[in-house]
Amino acid sequence: MSRSSSPSSMWAQTWSLIRPYFWESPQRASALALIAFVLVLSVFGGWWQTKLVAWMGAKTNALQSKNREQFYALLPDFCWLLLVLIVVVVMAFYLAEVLEIRWRRWFTKRLLARWFEHRAFYQLELMRNMPGSQMPDNPDQRIHEDVQRFVSSTCSLVTGLMVSLATLVVFGAVLAGIDDGADLMIAGEAVNIPGFMLWVALLYCGAGTLITYWLGRALKQMNFELQKREAHFRYHMARVRDNAEAIALDRAQEIEHFQLDQKLEALLQSKYALVKRQTRLSWFTNFFSNLSMLFPYLVLAERYFGGHISMGTLVEVSMAFGMVQTSLSWFINNFSGLAEWRASAQRLAELESALDRAVEPSALHHDSVDSHLAVEGLELRLPSGQLLLQNIAIRIEKGCNVLIGGPSGCGKSTLLRAFSGIWPFAKGHVSLPDKVMFIPQQPYFPEGRLRDALAYPSHAENYSDTQFAQALMQAGLSALQSRLDDFEAWQSLLSGGERQRLAVARVLLKQPAWVFADEASSALDNASEARVYEALTQMAQRNGGAVISVAHRDSVRKYHQQQWLLDPKTHGLNAAMVTERPAPSSTATAC
């Protein structure tokens, strides 16, 4: 993904993330109402603070004149002024948090739906292997962390901006009203400048904003790079956990440790560079904010010492100046947060763009038929563009089991993926029966009860204990019948052979007519392989379908009537009965 973009493009990207919820979602009315309430409370809170400022001025004058009665008479006013202000601030905070929670829920669910729609989660991983691909990395991290960071930052920044604008308007008017202006000598004549302190505040904060932008303009890109490296480090650790056994058997812990150290050093270097830039910015922002406490007194000192203003007025003007300065310093105080917010927005915009591309219609068209599998004009390619198969026409009638073979990497598993409709780098037409199940090379089982893993992706409540027990028995897993309600991480608990038999048991539980098995018995002994294939072929015959297998082992040949050998030289297939020598053909009709 490109890291550089024009300001208009960046804000267009950001607006495209904000607009759907506030302008297009069913919750837009309540969302806008919450924003309106927060805005009203912010304006009211800013106006109410002027009363506290006026109270501080009156209190200061009472102290200066040593007026005991007036001082104590002012105390009850402070109590109720402070109480109302606290209620307003807390309510504004609560409503802003409610808005953040609702928006995050909607945004996350929307991205999750898009990620799963048309199996985009699978297509994104495939498209990353395309030449010149700039597909986003770690979509899981973007959906989880970047959505949370973007929504929280947006609500916080916008709320803070609204409060700052309200404060600027209210206290700007107060400052202009309290300050009767200052006389400046221009061309030898005294010229009165109304609202002099307001103009001083504007100039003071304007200069601070320009300097802050100049010092911190690189923070957005640095935050983007840091978030990317953090995600890579976490993803690599997750891969070590998911592949713990293979890494341990290969005694590869040292190289994995080394690679994680490298990623850790990379992210820490990025963090260190970010901290150095933030420190340079912090020198200025701290100096600027602390100077602002003294600055109005320096400007007004001569007017006070000259008797033009009272101590109370000096305090009121100084406090109003501080409020105006704080509101005008919103950009300065939030510059680092804005950089992180923009980095999160860019990562989410990249994910949205990738999801748009991932669900583009495939050139491989699917429809349903009753009793056979048919393929016409099939062309298969790898994500790199390498051709695997072309001009393939296939027809498999019910009752005819087909064994697909050929050298490794010639496209056997990819052919099954094309049958299923998940392979996007394909052209042609596929007619597939309705009652179909696929057994992948690496079956997946979710954590939970064994009955849930066996019924996946259906609900376990759809099947009886008798059906579960029968499926396990047919697959040679009778020992697991008593563990249907055990809660375990079955993916890592079971051996490779047990996982393959459990995948077969899942098929036997659901009783499809057609089964596509991709190396479904590669981890089984001969006896177990014979048992599961007999159960699968009998089920397919009984239900009016067939078994189509990808396998390298000759022991499964006897369960199939026809064999297809893929030829990587001609990009075609050779079809024959299992007892005959295969003959070259681009068209295969099974049985």
Side-chain angles (χ1 to χ4, degrees):
M1 287 291 175
S2 173
R3 299 291 181 264
S4 61
S5 53
S6 65
S8 60
S9 174
M10 291 192 303
W11 289 113
Q13 285 181 344
T14 306
W15 178 241
S16 71
L17 299 174
I18 297 173
R19 186 190 65 250
Y21 180 66
F22 292 97
W23 258 255
E24 300 170 3
S25 76
Q27 301 177 25
R28 62 184 181 275
S30 61
L32 293 174
L34 283 172
I35 293 176
F37 281 129
V38 173
L39 178 60
V40 169
L41 289 172
S42 299
V43 173
F44 179 81
W47 172 76
W48 196 256
Q49 282 183 312
T50 63
K51 295 182 177 294
L52 276 173
V53 170
W55 183 90
M56 290 294 294
K59 181 262 298 180
T60 302
N61 285 331
L63 290 172
Q64 185 182 24
S65 61
K66 297 183 179 181
N67 188 330
R68 179 184 292 105
E69 291 76 13
Q70 183 181 6
F71 173 78
Y72 285 110
L74 288 170
L75 294 181
D77 292 342
F78 177 79
C79 294
W80 68 268
L81 286 172
L82 184 62
L83 177 63
V84 172
L85 182 62
I86 291 174
V87 171
V88 170
V89 170
V90 172
M91 286 302 300
F93 167 79
Y94 174 75
L95 293 178
E97 290 296 309
V98 169
L99 175 63
E100 178 183 333
I101 292 171
R102 291 183 179 181
W103 187 12
R104 182 187 177 186
R105 178 194 293 123
W106 182 88
F107 200 168
T108 303
K109 288 186 175 183
R110 175 176 175 269
L111 279 181
L112 283 174
R114 297 196 62 198
W115 193 44
F116 284 106
E117 185 182 16
H118 304 299
R119 293 176 286 269
F121 63 92
Y122 173 69
Q123 294 189 41
L124 288 180
E125 295 305 310
L126 292 176
M127 294 169 69
R128 289 181 64 189
N129 297 320
M130 296 173 61
S133 171
Q134 294 181 322
M135 300 303 292
D137 53 10
N138 303 299
D140 54 319
Q141 188 248 6
R142 298 183 188 226
I143 293 174
H144 174 217
E145 294 183 11
D146 285 312
V147 166
Q148 186 275 332
R149 187 181 293 115
F150 175 77
V151 169
S152 177
S153 297
T154 302
C155 290
S156 176
L157 291 170
V158 171
T159 301
L161 180 60
M162 290 193 299
V163 171
S164 295
L165 290 175
T167 302
L168 174 62
V169 172
V170 172
F171 278 94
V174 171
L175 189 59
I178 295 176
D179 181 20
D180 58 359
D183 294 331
L184 297 181
M185 297 302 296
I186 300 177
E189 296 184 7
V191 178
N192 183 266
I193 307 296
F196 175 72
M197 289 301 295
L198 176 60
W199 292 109
V200 169
L202 291 173
L203 292 173
Y204 180 79
C205 294
T209 298
L210 292 176
I211 296 174
T212 300
Y213 176 78
W214 179 75
L215 291 174
R217 61 190 184 278
L219 286 178
K220 192 269 288 187
Q221 179 57 38
M222 298 174 77
N223 274 285
F224 183 97
E225 190 64 27
L226 177 61
Q227 291 175 21
K228 175 182 176 181
R229 293 183 180 184
E230 293 276 10
H232 284 174
F233 181 68
R234 189 197 63 199
Y235 178 69
H236 195 132
M237 286 196 296
R239 284 183 58 82
V240 171
R241 182 196 63 197
D242 294 340
N243 298 277
E245 182 178 352
I247 294 172
L249 287 172
D250 287 335
R251 292 173 171 80
Q253 60 271 12
E254 290 186 6
I255 185 64
E256 292 295 334
H257 189 183
F258 173 77
Q259 291 175 352
L260 277 170
D261 272 345
Q262 295 288 82
K263 286 182 168 59
L264 176 61
E265 286 300 319
L267 79 86
L268 290 179
Q269 288 175 9
S270 183
K271 177 66 174 178
Y272 185 62
L274 177 63
V275 167
K276 288 198 297 184
R277 182 57 64 98
Q278 288 177 328
T279 301
R280 188 170 71 174
L281 178 62
S282 183
W283 280 108
F284 173 74
T285 55
N286 277 280
F287 171 78
F288 180 85
S289 60
N290 284 283
L291 178 62
S292 65
M293 294 187 293
L294 177 62
F295 189 76
Y297 290 98
L298 292 176
V299 176
L300 295 171
E302 289 301 320
R303 296 175 66 188
Y304 171 72
F305 292 132
H308 299 291
I309 57 175
S310 67
M311 174 64 76
T313 302
L314 175 63
V315 170
E316 284 190 65
V317 172
S318 298
M319 291 185 66
F321 178 90
M323 298 298 292
V324 171
Q325 180 270 329
T326 299
S327 64
L328 288 172
S329 300
W330 177 88
F331 179 80
I332 298 172
N333 297 331
N334 291 280
F335 194 86
S336 294
L338 283 167
E340 294 181 10
W341 173 70
R342 277 296 304 135
S344 297
Q346 183 174 344
R347 287 173 59 81
L348 289 173
E350 288 179 358
L351 178 60
E352 292 264 22
S353 177
L355 289 171
D356 289 338
R357 284 177 284 162
V359 298
E360 290 178 356
S362 171
L364 184 64
H365 303 286
H366 278 73
D367 59 25
S368 299
V369 293
D370 293 331
S371 60
H372 67 274
L373 166 70
V375 175
E376 296 179 1
L378 180 63
E379 178 184 297
L380 292 183
R381 293 182 181 271
L382 293 176
S384 63
Q386 177 185 340
L387 179 65
L388 294 177
L389 295 172
Q390 65 179 349
N391 299 324
I392 301 298
I394 296 172
R395 184 180 177 89
I396 303 176
E397 300 293 343
K398 63 180 181 179
C400 184
N401 300 335
V402 176
L403 176 63
I404 303 174
S408 297
C410 66
K412 301 183 297 297
S413 298
T414 304
L415 182 60
L416 294 194
R417 296 180 188 123
F419 289 164
S420 71
I422 69 172
W423 192 252
F425 311 104
K427 297 179 181 179
H429 187 274
V430 175
S431 297
L432 196 67
D434 291 327
K435 298 179 180 180
V436 173
M437 283 191 68
F438 289 80
I439 306 178
Q441 289 185 17
Q442 301 293 331
Y444 167 72
F445 302 100
E447 292 187 12
R449 299 179 303 172
L450 177 60
R451 66 173 71 242
D452 294 319
L454 191 53
Y456 183 85
S458 300
H459 295 288
E461 291 72 19
N462 296 336
Y463 305 96
S464 66
D465 286 355
T466 301
Q467 289 174 300
F468 284 121
Q470 183 178 4
L472 289 171
M473 181 188 65
Q474 288 179 297
L477 294 173
S478 299
L480 294 178
Q481 291 180 10
S482 62
R483 303 190 63 184
L484 284 173
D485 291 311
D486 287 3
F487 194 101
E488 300 285 356
W490 301 103
Q491 189 77 17
S492 57
L493 181 66
L494 300 177
S495 68
E498 287 174 324
R499 289 197 298 270
Q500 287 193 334
R501 281 182 285 167
L502 191 61
V504 171
R506 180 184 285 169
V507 174
L508 296 172
L509 174 69
K510 299 179 180 180
Q511 291 289 304
W514 293 76
V515 178
F516 295 81
D518 188 0
E519 298 284 0
S521 62
S522 59
L524 302 181
D525 59 85
N526 290 338
S528 297
E529 181 181 71
R531 182 170 189 166
V532 298
Y533 258 99
E534 285 174 1
L536 289 174
T537 53
Q538 290 175 9
M539 179 196 68
Q541 184 178 12
R542 183 173 60 251
N543 295 336
V547 176
I548 295 90
S549 303
V550 168
H552 288 97
R553 298 167 63 171
D554 288 338
S555 54
V556 302
R557 285 169 55 89
K558 60 184 177 181
Y559 301 103
H560 302 83
Q561 287 77 45
Q562 194 172 83
Q563 183 176 22
W564 295 344
L565 294 179
L566 305 189
D567 187 345
K569 294 182 180 179
T570 64
H571 307 299
L573 61 83
N574 305 326
M577 303 303 289
V578 293
T579 57
E580 300 175 358
R581 183 177 180 180
S585 175
S586 293
T587 302
T589 301
C591 308

